[in-house]
Amino acid sequence: MPPEGSVQPVSPVSRTLNPLRTGFHDLDNLLALLDPTPGLLVLAGRPCIGKTTLAHNIARDLALGRSQGVIIFSMEMGRKEVLARLLAIETRIDTQRILTRLFFPEEHEELVRGLAVLDEAPITIDDRAQVTVAEIA
């Protein structure tokens, strides 16, 4: 047994036993499984290519599909817009229609269902503009 507090490498076998998956099978195959240990994951890319949408979809899948606690730090969007995006993912109703409340009457029940699902999800949204990397990590 290694000394207490020593750092041990993660073997490929242990990584495959309890992998943290994104919910996108093709992406999981490309990434060959994310490290299941707690940590900070960074998603980066050029502007307007869907990074936020992808991150919200992954967060939703982790929270609802795998019961993993998720914290969404958003320095560009407020809590209301993040929630509207998550609700759009859950209900498949356009985010702009949710934000402007211009949804069809028959979608009302789906929105209520989606809000109930998200209310139970282990998701925390932190929309403080001045959050530091140290506070996130």
Side-chain angles (χ1 to χ4, degrees):
M1 176 169 260
E4 186 175 325
S6 67
V7 177
Q8 297 298 313
V10 176
S11 71
V13 173
S14 68
R15 288 185 67 180
T16 60
L17 295 178
N18 187 21
L20 176 62
R21 297 186 184 271
T22 65
F24 293 91
H25 302 295
D26 291 343
L27 179 59
D28 291 338
N29 290 337
L30 287 172
L31 297 175
L33 304 178
L34 298 175
D35 188 345
T37 58
L40 177 66
L41 301 174
V42 177
L43 177 62
R46 296 189 50 81
C48 300
I49 60 167
K51 297 179 300 293
T52 301
T53 301
L54 176 61
H56 288 164
N57 274 280
I58 292 170
R60 184 217 167 268
D61 185 71
L62 287 170
L64 297 175
R66 294 173 173 72
S67 299
Q68 295 286 318
V70 174
I71 301 174
I72 297 174
F73 291 95
S74 178
M75 291 166 253
E76 296 176 349
M77 282 184 252
R79 171 178 270 119
K80 179 180 172 183
E81 188 174 357
V82 173
L83 181 58
R85 285 176 170 235
L86 291 170
L87 186 58
I89 293 166
E90 184 61 30
T91 62
R92 301 189 188 278
I93 298 172
D94 184 77
T95 305
Q96 285 303 89
R97 291 198 358 248
I98 293 171
L99 285 169
T100 58
R101 298 181 182 183
L102 295 175
F103 45 84
F104 300 110
E106 60 270 15
E107 294 172 327
H108 184 264
E109 189 174 312
E110 183 63 13
L111 287 166
V112 170
R113 184 205 60 79
L115 281 170
V117 167
L118 290 174
D119 188 50
E120 295 297 319
I123 298 174
T124 301
I125 301 169
D126 185 335
D127 62 352
R128 293 177 293 153
Q130 299 300 319
V131 67
T132 65
V133 173
E135 290 175 298
I136 293 172

